[in-house]
Amino acid sequence: MCGIVGMVNGRSVAQDLIHGLRNLEYRGYDSAGIAIAGRSALSRLRASGPLDSLAAAHKVDPIDGPSGIGHTRWATHGAPTEQNAHPHFADGVAVVHNGIIENHAALRARLREDGVAFNSDTDSEVVPHLIASYRKAGLSRFDAIREATQMLEGQFALGILFEDEPRTLYAARRESPLAIGAAPKAVMLASDMLAYAGRAEQTLALESDEIARIRRDGVQILNGRGETVDRAWTAATSTAVTVHKAGHRHFMHKEIFEQPEAIAKTFAATAAEEVAAPVESVLADCNRLSIVACGTSYYAGMAARPWLERYAGMAVDLDVASEFRYRDRPCFAGTGSLYISQSGETADSLACMRDAKEKGEKTAAIVNVPTSAMANEADVTIPTLAGPEIGVASTKAFTAQLAALMGLARSIGKARAAFDPEMETRFETAYRMIPALIEDVLDREGSCETVARAIKNSKSAIFLGRGANHALAMEGALKLKEISYIHAEGFAAGELKHGPIALIDEAMPVIVVAPRDGSFAKTASNVEEVAARHGKIILLSDEEGCDHLAKHCWHQVVLPETDDLTAPFVYAVALQFIAYHTALALGTDVDRPRNLAKSVTVE
Ligand code: AGP
């Protein structure tokens, strides 16, 4: 999943391309490049590594012109080198690509037979060669692009320049996200219009298998049959402020501090009639619900499952999308599926949702990006109002997902008459308390930092929890892995003695997520099992819990008292801080951890 941009402004676009790529760097930062359609020829600049390398190269060797395309890469095919960086060229055609061309090997072999020489190991390079071959055969630019894209299997979003038409951009897509934006003196293209937040005043969605010709004086869209499509512009949503660190050292740290507001907004949104009513009409009759997601979003579903079972009276299955996708799962009446995704573009989750819809199953999606494919295609969408999340390690989206899931349990519980007045009071109280409890945890950053300094030189770490705390333990381990590169594993605390306890010795930090809930006593026994093997116990609990287990602990993070509704929010923030400060102490790139990208739009 890469980020692509393009712009036509009739004068100089280079700095605008680099600006757009900087806002899309969360999509991949293995290499970057721009191409410019000048007065007579195409020019190109590429660099391996994060965008700063390209920006530095551009200072030394500035290229510019009236229109251009740009790319920031997450390598799928071919190593993250300058040679494999986009844009790729072929006989006066320049292309940037996001997605995967699944039949690239066959196309490459065919083109080779026609005498084409390849300069990279990427799947993407077949695209400019195909377009150029159709141009040579005399087809118009539109027709050449259409013929070429009809040869492609897989997903793609493309930005295309032609040497012999310098003041024009072309775009094409199938599944991978791509939007067109307009500002007074420029028209732009981007995988996500966040690239031009605060600049694009209007946006235009490009549907799958459509091709657009973009000029300053207008945009023409053709569908797969070559027919012109009329489509209305809509007002752009994101503003410039969305992509600033607001004085924080990292987007992740800023986003951790944005959680009280994100949660409060999401509670309000899910309680509003325009969300609650469609949720009830789509899901209330479902006795069985499959929750499907990836990574952190999956752990949000895992933490919230007890709520849907207890307060909505639903049977809930939980699956990672990449596995769920290939199961021959029978769909019966009365079953529904819920997809959770920050980006709304995660390929595996999206494919599962499309598959379920095809099988006639009711689908709901909890999504943070309102313009995303999942938000557009689900039968009902529950928005998380966390705002754009730039840090690759998800934080505010996770707790906002918990807030949406809590709202869901309440709406469905009410519709299924499974929700009694005592529950209503508890939920109302929790809605009011959670943002304040998070503020309280934000003030305890220091004690999490102490833990981080203590574990930073560890080779690995174990996280333990029971019930919803098991999900938090898994999420805590994922956060630490993602940004500190320390090998970390989360386990159901009850599973420890069935194997993982063999890992425990005096060098192993064991982070125990233990609010004083119904499972605290059992978790306390697990703490004693670890202590008996000299494991280095780091306890996350409230005052009384910490006092109770103090003699076994290496370190403690004392957190406010909680209950089953508030605990996941409170403990999530402490786990985020531990991961953040460990990464900070180790000097890793917190916002752009190696090998990762924010939205995984390829399988
Ligand atoms: C979380 O920090 C990671 N960025 C990753 O696990 C992420 O949660 C996963 O890729 C799912 O993304 P989504 O929520 O956008 O679908």
Side-chain angles (χ1 to χ4, degrees), residues 264 267 406 424-437 566:
F267 277 149
M406 219 172 115
E424 179 65 18
T425 313
R426 292 198 50 240
F427 269 62
E428 278 304 324
T429 312
Y431 279 1
R432 267 198 322 281
M433 283 181 60
I434 289 169
L437 284 169
T566 57

Side-chain angles (χ1 to χ4, degrees), residues 96-420:
V96 288
H97 167 230
N98 170 33
I100 286 195
I101 311 292
E102 284 156 9
N103 62 338
H104 69 98
L107 294 170
R108 187 179 269 253
R110 205 203 85 184
L111 287 160
R112 275 223 173 93
E113 273 160 28
D114 300 345
V116 168
F118 284 84
N119 303 304
S120 79
D121 309 322
T122 65
D123 55 327
S124 312
E125 194 190 346
V126 293
V127 181
H129 288 295
L130 278 172
I131 296 172
S133 68
Y134 285 112
R135 287 289 287 151
K136 271 194 219 122
L139 271 63
S140 74
R141 295 179 194 86
F142 256 138
D143 293 345
I145 295 170
R146 195 171 62 245
E147 289 301 321
T149 51
Q150 284 172 355
M151 297 288 293
L152 307 179
E153 289 164 20
Q155 309 133 343
F156 57 81
L158 302 169
I160 305 157
L161 285 177
F162 289 91
E163 188 162 80
D164 56 5
E165 194 182 6
R167 294 175 178 283
T168 307
L169 262 184
Y170 288 79
R173 69 169 289 239
R174 183 186 303 147
E175 292 199 16
S176 298
L178 195 58
I180 299 169
K185 293 197 175 68
V187 186
M188 56 280 275
L189 178 69
S191 299
D192 177 340
M193 218 20 90
L194 191 69
Y196 294 108
R199 298 204 181 179
E201 292 170 1
Q202 297 183 299
T203 59
L204 193 63
L206 196 61
E207 301 301 333
S208 256
D209 292 311
E210 289 182 343
I211 301 169
R213 179 174 59 199
I214 301 166
R215 292 183 172 147
R216 275 184 67 196
D217 57 6
V219 175
Q220 183 189 7
I221 296 178
L222 295 189
N223 62 21
R225 294 178 299 285
E227 300 148 353
T228 296
V229 176
D230 285 328
R231 180 149 309 130
W233 291 88
T234 54
T237 49
S238 50
T239 61
V241 286
T242 46
V243 281
H244 280 297
K245 292 183 186 142
H248 293 263
R249 228 172 124 184
H250 296 99
F251 281 108
M252 182 179 178
H253 196 260
K254 172 198 171 200
E255 289 155 5
I256 290 175
F257 276 78
E258 288 177 337
Q259 295 183 93
E261 191 193 345
I263 291 164
K265 281 185 178 168
T266 304
F267 277 149
T270 44
E273 196 47 24
E274 64 267 24
V275 172
V279 162
E280 287 164 23
S281 67
V282 170
L283 293 179
D285 299 338
C286 297
N287 294 322
R288 188 167 213 93
L289 187 71
S290 295
I291 296 182
V292 180
C294 303
T296 287
S297 297
Y298 172 82
Y299 296 134
M302 188 177 169
R305 171 161 61 175
W307 295 339
L308 289 160
E309 291 171 337
R310 190 173 308 139
Y311 301 114
M314 295 176 109
V316 179
D317 301 320
L318 205 56
D319 283 278
V320 291
S322 52
E323 288 298 314
F324 188 77
R325 185 168 181 181
Y326 296 104
R327 287 217 334 255
D328 298 328
R329 182 181 64 99
C331 287
F332 303 108
T335 64
S337 47
L338 171 65
Y339 302 86
I340 308 173
S341 177
Q342 187 288 125
S343 62
E345 300 286 355
T346 300
D348 285 318
S349 306
L350 183 56
C352 290
M353 191 176 86
R354 288 177 174 156
D355 178 46
K357 281 179 74 82
E358 248 162 58
K359 287 179 178 160
E361 186 167 68
K362 294 192 176 147
T363 61
I366 292 180
V367 176
N368 196 45
V369 180
T371 53
S372 63
M374 287 170 77
N376 291 329
E377 296 176 28
D379 296 319
V380 60
T381 297
I382 302 104
T384 51
L385 300 185
E389 189 174 64
I390 308 291
V392 167
S394 185
T395 54
K396 62 177 181 175
F398 176 71
T399 50
Q401 286 163 351
L402 293 177
L405 286 154
M406 219 172 115
L408 208 64
R410 183 178 181 222
S411 308
I412 299 173
K414 281 183 168 177
R416 293 164 64 84
F419 207 72
D420 62 35

